[in-house]
Amino acid sequence: ANGQIYLGFGHCDHGWLLAYSASTLAQTHVLNTSPDGIGATIWMGGAAPVVDSAGNIYVITADDIGTTAPSSNDFPDTFLKLSPSLQVLDSFTPSNERYLAENDADLGSGGPILLPDNTSSFPHELIGGGKDGRVFVVNRDNMGGYHPDPNGQNDNIQTVQTGTQQFDNIWGSPALFWDGFIYYHTENDVLRAYSWSNGLMSVQPAASGTTTYLNHGASPSISANGTNNGILWDIDDSGYPSGGGSGGTPAILHAHNASNVGQELYNSS
């Protein structure tokens, strides 16, 4: 994007986003998301940063791993809006960020997606969520910043609860928005499709699959001919040994009718 290659990094003492010229591969820009703290890494369960039509870049960071609360320099558990040169333009941090950090409940275990422009009061929206299963609909034009609140009030457009457990719900990325639906497949849960209309998600799923996936759920993807013949694909790796190593059973590829994910079209077993 913007003639640059952007790389995010996690699993180190800081969060980094690095930019390189796509033509020369020379490093052009560097962002450290926790220069005064430790953590706020950019891993998003393997999802990539997203870029809007103006070239602005969006990422979600993970917990701090020290005692540093969000500040003007440190951005743990935060949606970040960045310029093409990686300057912080805006941000949104849930009001209970300290609770998330104390419980290893990274907001940045999941990746963000951009939604199409809409005709509501908030025409430019971004969504994402993390381990506590809350999906935040955020106004890209005024993201809301950070305001600690013991009652859990947040300055975002909408919050929708997903998942089946207190933590370890959302990992990776939802499918790209398709034909009025947003898809999530959280850990220990079935695939769920949420409708999206007038700038808001449905509070309850519009349709649900029937197969429960373990091991971080799945990151769905869509194949379609425009808005026709949509197929949602995801992979169930529940048979992989939780401790790693040998053994287990093969992963299974599933295909669902994207307009009604309760209808499975195929699976590789």
Side-chain angles (χ1 to χ4, degrees):
N2 308 311
Q4 311 287 311
I5 299 167
Y6 296 98
L7 304 174
F9 287 90
H11 257 296
C12 59
D13 284 347
H14 302 286
W16 296 99
L17 197 62
L18 309 178
Y20 296 84
S21 166
S23 59
T24 69
L25 298 185
Q27 189 178 89
T28 55
H29 308 289
V30 175
L31 172 70
N32 181 344
T33 56
S34 56
D36 299 329
I38 303 174
T41 57
I42 301 172
W43 55 285
M44 302 192 297
V50 294
V51 185
D52 68 17
S53 58
N56 299 310
I57 301 158
Y58 300 85
V59 297
I60 308 176
T61 64
D63 290 337
D64 73 81
I65 51 177
T67 58
T68 305
S71 67
S72 58
N73 287 321
D74 294 323
F75 300 98
D77 294 312
T78 295
F79 289 76
L80 284 174
K81 178 180 182 178
L82 307 168
S83 72
S85 60
L86 302 185
Q87 302 301 305
V88 176
L89 301 177
D90 203 352
S91 66
F92 166 70
T93 308
S95 61
N96 69 339
E97 192 280 328
R98 292 291 81 201
Y99 175 79
L100 298 178
E102 290 165 359
N103 289 276
D104 189 27
D106 303 75
L107 177 64
S109 66
I113 64 171
L114 294 170
L115 294 173
D117 292 356
N118 69 81
T119 58
S120 74
S121 300
F122 307 104
H124 307 126
E125 295 181 345
L126 179 76
I127 71 167
K131 288 183 183 177
D132 72 354
R134 289 179 298 168
V135 179
F136 295 98
V137 182
V138 177
N139 177 11
R140 301 199 320 261
D141 298 325
N142 184 9
M143 296 178 72
Y146 174 53
H147 307 285
D149 186 332
N151 297 316
Q153 297 298 309
N154 290 296
D155 291 332
N156 65 304
I157 299 169
Q158 184 187 23
T159 305
V160 175
Q161 183 68 50
T162 65
T164 61
Q165 50 204 7
Q166 184 177 11
F167 302 124
D168 289 347
N169 288 290
I170 297 172
W171 305 79
S173 178
L176 294 176
F177 171 86
W178 181 81
D179 198 29
F181 293 102
I182 298 165
Y183 304 88
Y184 273 98
H185 202 154
T186 63
E187 181 170 292
N188 290 317
D189 198 10
V190 298
L191 173 65
R192 300 190 187 276
Y194 295 83
S195 62
W196 181 77
S197 177
N198 198 33
L200 297 175
M201 286 179 62
S202 60
V203 176
Q204 299 297 325
S208 299
T210 58
T211 304
T212 298
Y213 290 14
L214 308 179
N215 296 347
H216 300 173
S219 289
S221 61
I222 294 284
S223 64
N225 181 9
T227 58
N228 297 315
N229 301 325
I231 300 174
L232 184 142
W233 305 84
D234 65 7
I235 295 173
D236 179 9
D237 65 353
S238 299
Y240 184 75
S242 59
S246 60
T249 57
I252 301 170
L253 173 66
H254 293 259
H256 300 261
N257 179 346
S259 298
N260 176 17
V261 296
Q263 179 187 5
E264 182 175 276
L265 305 175
Y266 162 84
N267 73 69
S268 62
S269 64

